[in-house]
Amino acid sequence: MSQQPVIAVVGLGLLGGSICQTLTDLEFDAQIIGVSSPRSTQEALDIGIISQAYQYHEIGQVKVQADLILLCTPIQHIFSMMESLAQSSEPWKPGALVSDVGSTKLEICQKGWQLLGTDRFIGGHPMAGSEKNGLSARDNTLFESALWLLCPSEDQSDLVQGSLLEKVILTLGSRLHCVEAELHDQWLAQVSHLPQLLSSTLSSETFQSLPDSLSVAGPGFRDMSRLALSSYPMWESIFQTNSQQIIQSIQNYIEKLSQVKEIIQSGDWQSMDQLFDHASQGRQQVNIPQKGWSQNLIEVIVRVQDQKGMISKVVVPLTEAGLDIRDIQLLKIREGSGGTLSLSFSSIQQADQAVELLNQIGIQSQIRGII
Ligand code: NAP
């Protein structure tokens, strides 16, 4: 009988706890061990999502038995765990891999390759999370349909395919995509770190200079300032480990905003029209993957009436027909006039079937594309 592989999850917080919970619920064929503070490991043992517990200083005992070590702590602590693993005199299990879930990648990958070796460390970043933290916030649907970015170096291209790491990511329900670490940080600076800073700055500046205006703020301001509710500690290490790319994104934004100011000052409304047109085209590209992306979802757009129980009228027949809705979003609804629902399916056949079924029961729908 072949032995079960051993997966060590280091840092039993939101992400680490969710990984253990999901793999346990799905009865993934592996022994899951947890490395965290005594309080978290005891709780994880009590709820049965790990079978063995270790403290951070016992990482050597973990190194010797793990086939896969997933570092799920804050970024600065990921660095210290990589140092502890490198300093431990215990041998690695043959073929063992180490990965992480940190939100920035170049510094982490460089440190991982240098300390643990390019045959051992592959940086990762699941694009899933929430504003909550700690083990109690764990969620066994957190990674479902989420993109999980891996950043192998050039000489690591063979390490991912068929690995236990790949199996775990796919079992969690995520969509795996490989991207170079430097490009990851450039992209994330632009589409995650800059929006966070813009949202925080907008909210803070409005609160400071014109606080009474907040009482009339509508959905636009609410959408733009939602990220201002984020808690700070995780962001500090993101700013620390991706400062160059973030500064570049801020610089580009300042230049663009200056152009916008000049357009208004000069009354050049044709240029403003072009800007809005260009911006709208950009917005429509959100989540449309580039060539080479795998495991995409197919999005179906459904027009719904503003009536009680409308969402179940859409969802129930689809699930009864055995269709697997991988994601659902209410894009827009206005009282009295209905709205738009976005449903995602894992294959074009499922999406086609959903559209046919909905149209048969008089609910207008169409395939919008791949997301
Ligand atoms: P979390 O819920 O706070 O969990 C992190 C766990 O790490 C804590 O529960 C804690 O467990 C342990 N830890 C060790 N040293 C720590 C320290 N100095 N400060 C705080 N906790 C420490 O955080 P998370 O959201 O799971 O994030 C973990 C990693 O995922 C981070 O590197 C983050 O960049 C990345 N990430 C987060 C999100 C998100 O939206 N949350 C998304 C993608 C990636 P013990 O108390 O047991 O030590």
Side-chain angles (χ1 to χ4, degrees), residues 186-234:
Q186 189 185 25
W187 283 357
L188 269 290
Q190 187 68 24
V191 299
S192 169
H193 311 160
L194 180 66
Q196 175 63 54
L197 290 168
L198 296 180
S199 182
S200 296
T201 314
L202 173 70
S203 182
S204 164
E205 209 281 313
T206 311
F207 190 39
Q208 185 180 11
S209 62
L210 220 50
D212 292 346
S213 68
L214 292 170
S215 62
V216 298
F221 188 89
R222 268 209 300 276
D223 286 353
M224 292 283 296
S225 60
R226 182 178 61 82
L227 298 173
L229 296 170
S230 303
S231 78
Y232 179 65
M234 190 180 90

Side-chain angles (χ1 to χ4, degrees), residues 10-16 35-41 56 71-75 77-78 100-104 108 125-135 234 237-238:
V10 182
L12 298 174
L14 170 70
L15 269 76
V35 185
S36 221
S37 67
R39 213 182 65 166
S40 307
T41 49
Y56 295 114
L71 303 175
C72 303
T73 54
I75 294 173
H77 197 262
I78 290 175
D100 76 306
V101 298
S103 305
T104 60
I108 293 180
H125 179 198
M127 306 289 287
S130 87
E131 66 292 352
K132 298 187 195 138
N133 57 15
L135 182 58
M234 190 180 90
S237 52
I238 291 176

Side-chain angles (χ1 to χ4, degrees), residues 261-274:
K261 187 172 143 201
E262 279 164 27
I263 288 174
I264 294 178
Q265 277 169 340
S266 61
D268 180 4
W269 308 123
Q270 200 183 345
S271 295
M272 189 65 98
D273 187 12
Q274 281 167 3

Side-chain angles (χ1 to χ4, degrees), residues 13-24:
L14 170 70
L15 269 76
S18 300
I19 292 171
C20 297
Q21 182 76 62
T22 315
L23 293 179
T24 303

